[in-house]
């Protein structure tokens, strides 16, 4: 029996394999979340120096810095993280959350993201079962995790992630995955235009910018994957999630209500829920309002 056939026939094995894959991807997502904004900043600085020729400015370092190099290291002492020190969750527990060289604390967010990636991956596998739909759903799940944390940290939704995944969603629709092609294309267009219109209306009424352009592209991405019919649900869910979390941050952490809160994570949460249980949620809502 081949591995593929075994995973098709054995749900427990599929869930275990997906959990391990999700943990490994969670470790990589930590790298993406930390490094990609730095890579973007370096590129912006280099472009500014090149275009403006600012006096006293020097181009960014020629040392390679990307998602693969240099090796991960402790930000406190520079100790290079070995492979044994980089096992998802397990290494953090064995090291008791401290650098093996200098004893400085390791942020618990790293194993938290690995755990989140593993758990969400298992849920996706349970929902979709073995097949190409599972591969696509996992990729979208990992994408939404990365975008959520980058937006939370930097209020950025990088085009280098959003746009390729948007086009991938349209490409998958050609083969009937998640939605049909017409719904996918209309979903991408409508997703962008809906938030674009809200943005300009809010700015016209208040003179302020209510959201970033990356939010338009993220909703377009979700529309491309799930079709235009899912957009109302995603918008309603994201607004509800945003209101709940926003109020909680103000009450529990005393966060200033005037401090902008990134909308991308709420769109990502709503989009992921729509991916897995969109039709069920729509039916519940329609029955609740008596339709």
């Amino acid at each position: 029996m081949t591995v593929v056939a075994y995973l098709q026939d054995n749900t427990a094995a599929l869930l275990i394999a997906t959990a391990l894959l999700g943990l490994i991807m969670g470790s990589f997502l930590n790298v993406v979340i930390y490094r990609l904004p730095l890579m973007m900043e370096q590129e912006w600085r280099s472009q500014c120096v090149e275009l403006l020729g600012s006096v006293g400015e020097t181009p960014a370092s020629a040392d390679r810095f990307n998602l693969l190099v240099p090796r991960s290291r402790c930000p406190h002492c520079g100790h290079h993280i070995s492979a044994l020190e980089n096992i998802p969750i397990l290494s953090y527990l064995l090291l008791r959350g401290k650098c093996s060289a200098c004893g400085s604390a390791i942020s618990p967010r790293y194993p938290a993201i690995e755990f989140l990636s593993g758990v969400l991956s298992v849920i996706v596998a349970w929902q979709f079962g073995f097949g190409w739909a599972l591969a696509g759903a996992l990729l979208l799940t990992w994408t939404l995790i990365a975008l959520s944390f980058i937006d939370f940290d930097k209020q950025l939704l990088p085009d280098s992630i959003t746009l390729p995944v948007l086009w991938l969603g349209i490409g998958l629709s050609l083969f009937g995955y998640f939605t049909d092609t017409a719904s996918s294309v209309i979903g991408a267009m409508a997703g962008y235009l809906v938030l674009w219109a809200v943005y300009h209306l809010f700015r016209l009424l208040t003179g302020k910018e209510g959201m970033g352009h990356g939010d338009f592209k993220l909703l377009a991405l979700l529309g491309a994957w799930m079709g235009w019919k899912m957009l109302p649900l995603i918008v309603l869910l994201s607004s509800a999630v945003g209101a709940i979390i926003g109020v909680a941050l103000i009450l529990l952490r005393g966060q200033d209500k005037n401090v902008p809160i990134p909308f991308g994570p709420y769109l990502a949460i709503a989009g992921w829920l729509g991916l897995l249980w969109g039709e069920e949620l729509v039916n519940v809502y329609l029955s609740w309002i008596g339709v």
Side-chain angles (χ1 to χ4, degrees):
M1 178 181 291
T2 64
V3 174
V4 171
Y6 182 71
L7 292 177
Q8 285 178 325
D9 298 336
N10 192 318
T11 302
L14 175 63
L15 296 180
I16 292 172
T18 306
L20 294 175
L21 180 60
L23 291 173
I24 294 171
M25 282 302 304
S27 181
F28 178 68
L29 291 178
N30 278 318
V31 176
V32 174
I33 292 165
Y34 175 74
R35 293 194 181 192
L36 186 56
L38 294 178
M39 292 163 55
M40 295 170 65
E41 291 173 8
Q42 285 189 357
E43 183 180 0
W44 295 336
R45 289 194 186 99
S46 297
Q47 291 175 350
C48 289
V49 172
E50 181 180 351
L51 294 174
L52 300 178
S54 303
V55 177
E57 293 285 349
T58 57
S61 172
D63 294 338
R64 292 180 64 193
F65 184 83
N66 54 44
L67 298 181
L68 300 178
V69 294
R71 286 171 52 190
S72 298
R73 60 185 181 180
C74 173
H76 302 283
C77 68
H79 167 68
H80 288 289
I81 308 300
S82 67
L84 292 177
E85 295 172 329
N86 206 27
I87 302 173
I89 298 180
L90 182 60
S91 291
Y92 182 85
L93 296 176
L94 293 176
L95 292 170
R96 298 183 179 180
K98 297 179 180 179
C99 173
S100 62
C102 67
S104 298
I106 301 171
S107 173
R109 199 175 87 163
Y110 294 125
I113 290 176
E114 293 166 351
F115 179 77
L116 176 66
S117 177
V119 170
L120 296 188
S121 298
V122 169
I123 295 173
V124 169
W126 177 266
Q127 184 74 7
F128 283 92
F130 187 85
W132 287 110
L134 171 59
L138 286 175
L139 179 59
L140 181 58
T141 298
W142 299 330
T143 297
L144 295 177
I145 293 174
L147 289 174
S148 294
F149 281 95
I150 292 175
D151 198 26
F152 183 81
D153 289 341
K154 302 292 185 179
Q155 295 193 7
L156 289 172
L157 290 169
D159 287 350
S160 57
I161 296 178
T162 307
L163 297 184
V165 178
L166 186 158
W167 285 108
L168 177 60
I170 294 177
L172 289 174
S173 73
L174 295 173
F175 303 95
Y177 290 109
F178 306 108
T179 190
D180 60 89
T181 303
S183 294
S184 175
V185 173
I186 296 173
M189 296 168 60
Y192 188 92
L193 291 174
V194 164
L195 292 188
W196 178 87
V198 171
Y199 166 85
H200 284 285
L201 179 61
F202 183 83
R203 190 173 68 168
L204 180 65
L205 295 175
T206 66
K208 301 178 182 179
E209 295 185 357
M211 63 181 66
H213 291 205
D215 297 321
F216 313 165
K217 300 169 191 175
L218 178 54
L219 187 57
L221 180 157
L222 297 172
W225 277 73
M226 286 168 265
W228 65 270
K229 295 180 182 179
M230 202 60 63
L231 290 177
L233 173 68
I234 293 173
V235 172
L236 288 173
L237 279 177
S238 61
S239 300
V241 171
I244 293 171
I245 296 179
V247 171
L249 289 174
I250 293 173
L251 295 178
L252 300 178
R253 295 175 52 183
Q255 183 164 323
D256 187 349
K257 63 181 181 180
N258 294 317
V259 174
I261 299 175
F263 192 53
Y266 310 141
L267 282 174
I269 293 171
W272 189 78
L273 293 174
L275 175 70
L276 270 68
W277 301 291
E279 292 185 6
E280 291 87 342
L281 291 172
V282 169
N283 291 334
V284 169
Y285 175 74
L286 291 178
S287 64
W288 179 63
I289 63 175
V291 176

